[in-house]
Amino acid sequence: MNKYSSIDSLSVESNRMSAKRSFSDDQKITTDRVETHTRSVLDQVNTDKLRQNLTSLSKFHTRHSKSPLLNDVGDRIMNQLRGLGYKNCFYHFFNSTIDDKEYILRNIICNKEGFNKKLIIICAHYDCIMENKGDSNSRAPGANDNASGVSAIIEIARVLSNENLQHSIQFVLFSGEEQGLLGSKSYAKYIEDNKMDLYRLINLDMIGYPFFADNTIIIERDNNMDLNHNQVRENDLQSIVFGEVMKDLASEVNLKFHLDSIYDSDYEPFEANGHVVIGAYDGSADPKKNLHYHSSSDLPEFINWNYLTAVTKLVIATVLKIDSINSH
Ligand SMILES: [Zn+2]
């Protein structure tokens, strides 16, 4: 009796052990496969293409929101996204008053359909300014602010074009950021008006000129103590968790990270509507220390291409991670 029962309990124990072992092996295989796949996607990020995208945007004499040249810039970005095979792209038009004059401005929206309608927005502003904020005629190359973010988004769109993702992705380029987040305010309203299911948003504003510290990306979360930059408190924790996802991936692309809060960029209107947002930022929006900030000297020659490449990879890794976490 004792003998049998001890054999029974042994065999039960050993079954449990082997069940446990095979479960963890399966987990490991799944994790390895995901990581191997993510790695193969990240390897496709092409520094030359980032450089070409950024340089061609900076070659426009200005991308000031009041300049008719911004229409040419927008057309170029749109053509490039469509050229990547994205069929469902559109201009989101909105009216804005800048310096007492009415303008019709355009955001650029590019849809990548997923298995569900939950939306991940990856966004950046494509307008820029120089020293004199209202001057739409002088040279304004806006290489780091924010051709860097736009070039990353075009490259992310290229690399993800053949990926089947659970979530739908929108690549969004805003106009009128420098005049007070005009494009993102208007598009945040559009998201609400159309009852779209915005799950997460990543904003890229200045990601090519590591200024805070060498090779370090600032991950901005929705935990600003200044309530002007944190309208809703209920979404704060999820943003912090989202930031942790990006933080944990930084070493995978050989970046260091610094955690900070969202401040004065296109994520804010979405945050104000209760959405979960983060930003990636190089820390160079310091008019006292960075002489190129909002300057006619914000040129491609000051871009750190390896850094821009790494940040672009980090954004892709983060998107793939949240897409896989929430599909299981
Ligand atoms: Zn900017």
Side-chain angles (χ1 to χ4, degrees), residues 233-273:
R233 307 318 293 264
E234 288 75 16
N235 53 0
D236 291 13
L237 182 60
Q238 284 168 298
S239 167
I240 289 165
V241 171
F242 189 17
E244 290 290 307
V245 173
M246 181 175 272
K247 184 200 92 173
D248 289 343
L249 290 161
S251 65
E252 299 281 328
V253 296
N254 299 315
L255 281 173
K256 289 175 272 185
F257 64 85
H258 172 76
L259 298 174
D260 209 330
S261 305
I262 63 167
Y263 181 82
D264 260 3
S265 189
D266 287 315
Y267 31 43
E268 288 194 343
F270 299 90
E271 190 282 330
N273 287 340

Side-chain angles (χ1 to χ4, degrees), residues 125 127 144-146 177-178 205-206 265 293-294:
H125 72 87
D127 64 305
N144 194 42
D145 187 8
N146 184 31
E177 193 269 353
E178 302 290 5
D205 193 356
M206 308 178 74
S265 189
Y293 178 56
H294 287 172

Side-chain angles (χ1 to χ4, degrees), residues 121 174 181 183-199 201 222 227-236 238 262 266-277:
I121 287 183
F174 295 120
L181 316 180
S184 50
K185 279 177 184 163
S186 177
Y187 194 61
K189 183 176 183 305
Y190 178 92
I191 291 276
E192 299 311 305
D193 290 349
N194 289 280
K195 300 187 170 59
M196 292 162 74
D197 186 4
L198 175 52
Y199 172 64
L201 179 144
D222 177 16
L227 297 188
N228 291 318
H229 302 282
N230 187 354
Q231 308 270 324
V232 176
R233 307 318 293 264
E234 288 75 16
N235 53 0
D236 291 13
Q238 284 168 298
I262 63 167
D266 287 315
Y267 31 43
E268 288 194 343
F270 299 90
E271 190 282 330
N273 287 340
H275 296 295
V276 179
V277 307

Side-chain angles (χ1 to χ4, degrees), residues 9-23:
S9 77
L10 260 179
S11 73
V12 166
E13 197 51 44
S14 106
N15 280 340
R16 205 180 284 148
M17 292 273 289
S18 68
K20 200 169 162 189
R21 191 158 49 238
S22 80
F23 176 70

Side-chain angles (χ1 to χ4, degrees), residues 30 39 47 78 89 94 116 137 142 169 172 188 198 205 221 239-240 264 268 274 286 297 307 312 318 322:
T30 307
R39 182 56 56 193
T47 304
M78 180 62 97
C89 304
F94 61 100
N116 62 56
N137 296 311
I169 310 277
V172 178
L198 175 52
D205 193 356
R221 292 92 31 82
S239 167
I240 289 165
D264 260 3
E268 288 194 343
D286 184 335
S297 72
Y307 176 79
T312 304
T318 304
I322 59 168

